[in-house]
Every structure is written in C-alpha cells, then in structure tokens.
Amino acid sequence: MRRHSSGPNFRKQKKELNIPLIREIFIWILELAIVIALAGVIVYFVGMRTTVVGQSMNSSLQDGNQVLVNRFIYKMSKPKIGDVIVFKPNGNEKSHYYIKRVIATGGDTIQIENGIVYVNGEAATNVHFSGTIADPGLAAEPITLEQDECFVMGDNPAGSEDSRYANIGNVKTDYIIGKAWYRLIPFSEAGFIK
C-alpha cells in the first residue's frame, strides 16, 4: 500500500495553453494597432485645422471660420487653378497660415490690367470675385511664374494681402501646407470649400 501525503506536491503540473484565447487576443491587438495607425494617418494628412484670419477670402470664407486642410493632396499632385490653399508666406515659420485662391500656376503669365486679371493673355475665368481690382500691385507688369510657383489672391481683393505684394509674392509649392477643403466651423455653414 502506498501512502498519500497530505503535504505539498512538488511535481510539475502541465497547464494547457488556451490557443483560441491567445489567437483572439492577438487579433484584437492587431486590429487596434491598425485602427490607431489609420487614425494617425488620417489626422496627419486631412485633419489639420486652421482658422481664417481677416476678410481676404470673403465671401467664400469669413474671419474666424475654421477649415480642415488636406496635407496629402499636393504630395500626389500640383495645385490647380481655383484651389484654395494654405501656406506660409516665403516659408516663414513664425507667420500665421495664409489662405488664398490659386489664380495661376507654374509657367503661366499673369497681369492685372485695367482692373481685370489676365492669365496667359486671356481674362481669367477662375476668379471668385466680382468687379475690378483697384490695386494691381506687382501684377501691373506681366509676371511669368516658375514651374514651382503659384500666384494667389483672396476672393476679396480689396482686403487681401496676396501675390500682388512683395511681402507675399509668388508662392513656392514647397511653402504650401495643403488644400483647404472643408469648412468646419461655424457648423451652420459647414461644407466643402469651392
């Protein structure tokens, strides 16, 4: 007869791994990592928000409007005439973001004559303002843009500091932060920017 001891048992007991549970935990962690990575990419590229400063983009955008900026689009393509862009003038990191509309792009020649904007000798049809421009600034004489430049103006040219003036000048594509694509605030006017 064998005696059974009531003391501690020092023999190793095999524990079975719960493979389905481990697989479920691994899948959950992987899905969470993918969601966090996607959220980070979306926020970085299209979730940047900036505020319109001043009246230069009236009536498309008003002072204090908050807009979302697509930082990804110009990594894949170049700005197009009519785009509303966000940029730092002359790459000045200490400046606030400027929001203006692209009137002409690389290779175009622009001139403002008798209050009318001409691109490549033809009256521009992409301007989003009515009336004539009182101050042509630098564009009183023809300006031919380099391939990496845009000529920008506000939709309210009378109250806009833009490419017509030397402190802004032609905007290098390297200084463009992205495209203003969605007005977020005020909520009553939320929508895509045209």
Side-chain angles (χ1 to χ4, degrees):
M1 275 180 117
R2 277 181 131 182
R3 280 184 165 176
H4 288 284
S5 169
S6 61
N9 184 355
F10 293 105
R11 283 192 241 157
K12 291 184 179 178
Q13 293 182 359
K14 289 187 177 180
K15 291 186 179 180
E16 291 186 26
L17 292 176
N18 188 341
I19 300 297
L21 178 63
I22 292 172
R23 182 178 298 140
E24 187 70 27
I25 290 171
F26 178 74
I27 290 171
W28 186 79
I29 290 171
L30 183 64
E31 287 173 348
L32 185 62
I34 290 170
V35 167
I36 290 171
L38 281 174
V41 168
I42 290 169
V43 167
Y44 178 78
F45 285 116
V46 295
M48 180 185 154
R49 185 172 66 178
T50 191
T51 303
V52 176
V53 177
Q55 306 298 323
S56 73
M57 286 300 290
N58 283 0
S59 63
S60 299
L61 298 168
Q62 286 77 39
D63 184 39
N65 285 174
Q66 291 190 12
V67 298
L68 292 177
V69 180
N70 182 338
R71 293 195 275 193
F72 181 69
I73 192 166
Y74 297 137
K75 295 189 185 317
M76 304 299 289
S77 65
K78 293 187 176 203
K80 295 176 186 64
I81 292 174
D83 285 358
V84 176
I85 64 168
V86 177
F87 66 95
K88 292 274 191 170
N90 301 310
N92 182 354
E93 291 299 321
K94 294 181 180 177
S95 173
H96 67 84
Y97 292 117
Y98 278 62
I99 301 174
K100 306 290 180 200
R101 190 173 303 276
V102 176
I103 303 298
T105 58
D108 289 338
T109 299
I110 188 161
Q111 183 174 13
I112 300 173
E113 194 172 34
N114 298 322
I116 299 170
V117 178
Y118 292 93
V119 177
N120 299 324
E122 295 184 18
T125 57
N126 64 313
V127 293
H128 287 253
F129 49 84
S130 59
T132 59
I133 299 169
D135 183 6
L138 298 173
E141 299 298 321
I143 299 170
T144 300
L145 302 171
E146 299 292 329
Q147 287 302 317
D148 65 339
E149 293 178 333
C150 295
F151 190 93
V152 299
M153 290 179 64
D155 289 355
N156 174 21
S160 177
E161 185 179 21
D162 50 40
S163 291
R164 294 174 292 159
Y165 305 105
N167 59 328
I168 303 293
N170 301 336
V171 177
K172 297 259 186 211
T173 53
D174 288 347
Y175 302 150
I176 297 174
I177 306 300
K179 180 179 180 179
W181 67 280
Y182 191 84
R183 180 187 351 227
L184 191 62
I185 294 176
F187 294 117
S188 59
E189 297 176 17
F192 292 99
I193 298 169
K194 297 177 184 176

